[in-house]
Amino acid sequence: MEYEAVIGLETHVQLKTKSKMWCGCANAFGSEPNTNVCPVCLGLPGVLPVPNDEALRLTVLTGYLLNCEIPRFAKFDRKSYFYPDAPKNYQLTQYDKPSTANGFVDFEFTGAGSVNGFGRVRITRAHLEEDVGKLTHFDRTSGVDFNRAGVPLMEIVSEPDITSADMAYEYLNALKDILIHGGVSDCDMEKGMVRCDVNISVRPVGTKELGAKIEIKNMNSFSGVRRALEYEIPRQIAAVKCGEKLIQSTRRWDDAAGITDEMRTKEHAHDYRYFPDPDLMPLAPTDAWLAEVKSRVTELPLARKQRFMREYQLPASDAETFVNDVALGNYFEPIAKQSKNPKSVANWLINNLRSLMTIEAIHEAHPEGELPVNLSARQIEFSQLRFKPEFINELVELVDSGKISSKIAQDVFKEMYFSGKSPAAIVQEKGLAQVSDTGAIEKFCDEAIAANPNPVADYKAGKVAALNSLKGQVMKLSKGKANPALVGEILERKLKS
Ligand SMILES: [Zn+2]
């Protein structure tokens, strides 16, 4: 009998707000322990929570980005449990009435379960809750830092539509791209902004009933999720094939050992005693509030990629660059719209502009020459550029019309970048226009032929490649300005005569 995996993911994402969910404390990573705290997020008696409006907006915005319905009624419940990092002894969370429900995410995927190169995972809900503090265990004691307690945390629950480790990985990456693009979260994995619980069961192919659900908790990297599934799927299938009865349980991924091991079984399941928080009013978003949130919906990364490929005839790799570097893509679009050759515009921006901007930023930040650790993190702003965006098109046209060679264009680009002068002005000033005057080129060809008897003899003996060496000599004599096509023609004519 063949078995298949059924996987659902619960993804926790810290929202990009200035302050915490119920108080004015900073939502900041890396502060000294217990410096971003107050009576509210420390759970002291008698305090009252005030909801963070931006966190509510970001949750509903996520709903729109994930094609969800936005119910007109939502509320917060208390999920009761004791743990040293949860100072209130309960977590405020949207239990049975979440702010969003019934959406889906489409993503590029070619493995099993894909249709025409895409995968789709349905979203059960994206709801709002709060993060807990952080425990650190020392030799004989433990410390707790409540800076993270009360940070707005969104939980995105998927339907069990995922069937493989690769599909889970692609879904998570697509989700992360959407949330970063939408301005919902920075999704910085290294700062713990995204964590994932994996629910997995196996069943005979063709059956509908779900097997015993096994949960792998608190995964903090997508590659970890993929590796854990690559281990856990065959483990469960092997177990049921041997006649073992799997029971609902929670497991832990041991990244170093590359295995999962059991933490607890269902007998220890919590009763959280959910009940509506008496200090918080239910949420009933108005039309105007929803419209305002909806106006913040941006183009999804996948749609942007497809549109750039279609409208500007770009290869997938260029379009992806403009999706990942949103500012560069935004700079590209208006220029490309005015251009007959958007692909060439893309090349200049991706291959030349980005590196010059990075180099300049590094020089500005480190005039003494010592290099920063992360080179790519530094870039100057597009608004700081000295040249006008339309100069890129001017440069592309100078090349396409044959007025300057692509080699000369490299120098013109640099000059334009640092001086802000237009490419036409630079070409004029420096006399860089390509020489298409046959008289002048003939003279250079004669010189090259006279000075290079060996390649001439080779060419006449039938070595066609020898022509390139002569061409190179002519280009050198013309200081790179001779029209290469004309040079080739004239050389051939002279050598054959
Ligand atoms: Zn606080």
Side-chain angles (χ1 to χ4, degrees), residues 90-396:
Y90 60 83
Q91 181 193 31
L92 285 170
T93 181
Q94 294 183 320
Y95 176 51
D96 56 346
K97 295 289 177 190
S99 278
T100 82
N102 302 326
F104 60 88
V105 175
D106 285 338
F107 52 96
E108 287 179 314
F109 178 61
T110 49
S114 65
V115 180
N116 298 328
F118 293 93
R120 171 171 288 189
V121 171
R122 288 170 298 151
I123 300 297
T124 317
R125 55 198 274 166
H127 70 250
L128 186 54
E129 54 191 39
E130 58 181 324
D131 213 339
V132 293
K134 209 169 184 180
L135 289 171
T136 308
H137 303 291
F138 305 106
D139 192 16
R140 303 190 57 178
T141 54
S142 291
V144 61
D145 172 10
F146 289 119
N147 283 346
R148 201 177 67 180
V151 162
L153 191 69
M154 186 172 57
E155 179 172 340
I156 300 166
V157 182
S158 88
E159 291 289 304
D161 291 346
I162 300 164
T163 54
S164 67
D166 285 343
M167 191 175 179
Y169 184 76
E170 296 302 334
Y171 157 75
L172 285 170
N173 277 305
L175 188 61
K176 177 181 157 195
D177 284 350
I178 291 169
L179 297 174
I180 292 174
H181 275 259
V184 171
S185 171
D186 288 332
C187 293
D188 189 332
M189 313 288 287
E190 273 162 25
K191 294 179 181 168
M193 288 181 187
V194 184
R195 279 111 64 193
C196 198
D197 297 339
V198 180
N199 292 308
I200 161 173
S201 60
V202 296
R203 66 183 173 195
V205 171
T207 57
K208 282 273 163 260
E209 204 182 327
L210 292 171
K213 184 173 86 178
I214 288 167
E215 187 176 27
I216 309 171
K217 285 277 227 196
N218 261 327
M219 307 288 304
N220 54 19
S221 82
F222 295 168
S223 54
V225 170
R226 179 155 71 180
R227 287 178 63 215
L229 284 168
E230 280 167 356
Y231 172 84
E232 184 64 15
I233 296 169
R235 185 193 75 82
Q236 290 189 20
I237 291 175
V240 293
K241 277 190 171 168
C242 290
E244 192 186 320
K245 194 174 176 328
L246 294 170
I247 50 169
Q248 192 171 333
S249 55
T250 301
R251 298 178 77 85
R252 189 182 70 89
W253 168 244
D254 182 337
D255 201 67
I259 57 163
T260 63
D261 53 359
E262 192 165 279
M263 289 164 70
R264 55 178 183 260
T265 53
K266 204 195 169 199
E267 292 96 277
H268 304 100
H270 294 281
D271 177 0
Y272 291 116
R273 303 290 178 106
Y274 286 99
F275 70 94
D277 188 284
D279 293 333
L280 288 167
M281 294 285 282
L283 304 164
T286 62
D287 289 342
W289 190 88
L290 289 174
E292 203 249 279
V293 174
K294 204 168 192 177
S295 72
R296 287 166 66 174
V297 171
T298 47
E299 189 177 31
L300 291 182
L302 179 59
R304 184 172 165 97
K305 179 181 166 184
Q306 290 170 328
R307 187 171 62 76
F308 272 58
M309 290 172 73
R310 189 178 62 240
E311 286 181 15
Y312 307 114
Q313 292 86 48
L314 296 183
S317 58
D318 285 2
E320 236 157 63
T321 302
F322 290 133
V323 170
N324 295 331
D325 189 336
V326 178
L328 190 70
N330 290 345
Y331 184 75
F332 166 79
E333 274 223 273
I335 304 175
K337 275 191 204 304
Q338 301 297 320
S339 175
K340 289 188 207 90
N341 189 352
K343 170 61 186 146
S344 182
V345 172
N347 289 348
W348 283 111
L349 300 195
I350 294 170
N351 301 333
N352 299 68
L353 180 61
R354 271 208 306 191
S355 52
L356 281 178
M357 287 171 84
T358 307
I359 290 165
E360 191 184 359
I362 292 167
H363 276 291
E364 263 175 24
H366 301 269
E368 301 308 318
E370 81 269 35
L371 287 176
V373 183
N374 186 353
L375 293 177
S376 63
R378 299 201 166 275
Q379 248 204 14
I380 62 165
E381 301 290 324
F382 284 92
S383 58
Q384 292 172 265
L385 291 177
R386 284 165 289 261
F387 64 90
K388 295 181 185 162
E390 55 264 34
F391 288 176
I392 305 261
N393 273 338
E394 196 176 300
L395 184 65
V396 169

Side-chain angles (χ1 to χ4, degrees), residues 40-56:
V40 174
C41 56
L42 288 174
L44 300 190
V47 296
L48 287 172
V50 177
N52 181 328
D53 189 50
E54 178 63 4
L56 296 169

